[in-house]
């Protein structure tokens, strides 16, 4: 089983933390965290796509880290859902607070 994780700075003060696992060349799970830099210099989780609960979904959290929204993805293929999630955060990171 292969594992990979990396950070991507989208714009100053906004980054993605990406982790995924593969088995026999196929993606089997992932987590993509959208984080924003707070005024005190700490990074805060804003939203997360992951495959917990056996289905890809989006969680949006408030400043306290409390779940505000859970949205299940229609795409069930893990690799395709991963690409859709990355694209959403890259194109729409400004709408997530």
């Amino acid at each position: 089983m292969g594992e990979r994780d990396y950070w991507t700075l989208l714009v100053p003060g906004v980054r993605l933390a990406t982790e995924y696992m593969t088995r026999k060349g196929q993606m089997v799970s992932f987590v993509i965290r959208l984080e924003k830099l707070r005024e005190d210099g700490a990074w805060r989780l804003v939203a997360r796509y992951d495959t917990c609960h056996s289905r890809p979904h989006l969680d949006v959290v408030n400043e306290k880290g409390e779940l505000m929204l859970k949205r299940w993805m229609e795409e069930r293929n893990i690799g395709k859902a991963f690409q859709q999630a990355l694209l959403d955060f890259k194109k729409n990171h400004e709408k997530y607070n």
Side-chain angles (χ1 to χ4, degrees):
M1 191 172 307
E3 296 182 34
R4 174 116 192 240
D5 60 7
Y6 55 93
W7 296 96
T8 305
L9 188 66
L10 295 180
V11 296
V14 180
R15 71 182 182 185
L16 293 181
T18 306
E19 304 170 33
Y20 63 85
M21 293 179 59
T22 60
R23 184 178 304 128
K24 296 182 181 178
Q26 297 292 317
M27 187 174 291
V28 295
S29 66
F30 70 82
V31 177
I32 306 170
R33 296 186 319 270
L34 177 66
E35 300 178 350
K36 294 191 176 179
L37 191 60
R38 297 187 325 199
E39 297 217 2
D40 66 2
W43 289 94
R44 178 180 79 82
L45 175 67
V46 175
R48 166 186 61 240
Y49 277 100
D50 64 53
T51 54
C52 294
H53 316 298
S54 302
R55 185 171 170 198
H57 64 279
L58 168 68
D59 294 324
V60 178
V61 299
N62 65 15
E63 295 235 359
K64 296 179 183 178
E66 300 166 330
L67 182 65
M68 302 301 296
L69 169 74
K70 181 179 291 288
R71 187 180 75 213
W72 300 99
M73 296 180 76
E74 290 183 30
E75 182 60 63
R76 299 280 183 133
N77 177 285
I78 301 297
K80 289 180 182 178
F82 176 83
Q83 293 301 323
Q84 289 176 4
L86 273 179
L87 184 61
D88 177 42
F89 281 161
K90 287 179 179 180
K91 288 177 109 176
N92 302 307
H93 62 86
E94 292 175 342
K95 76 177 186 178
Y96 294 100
N97 294 320

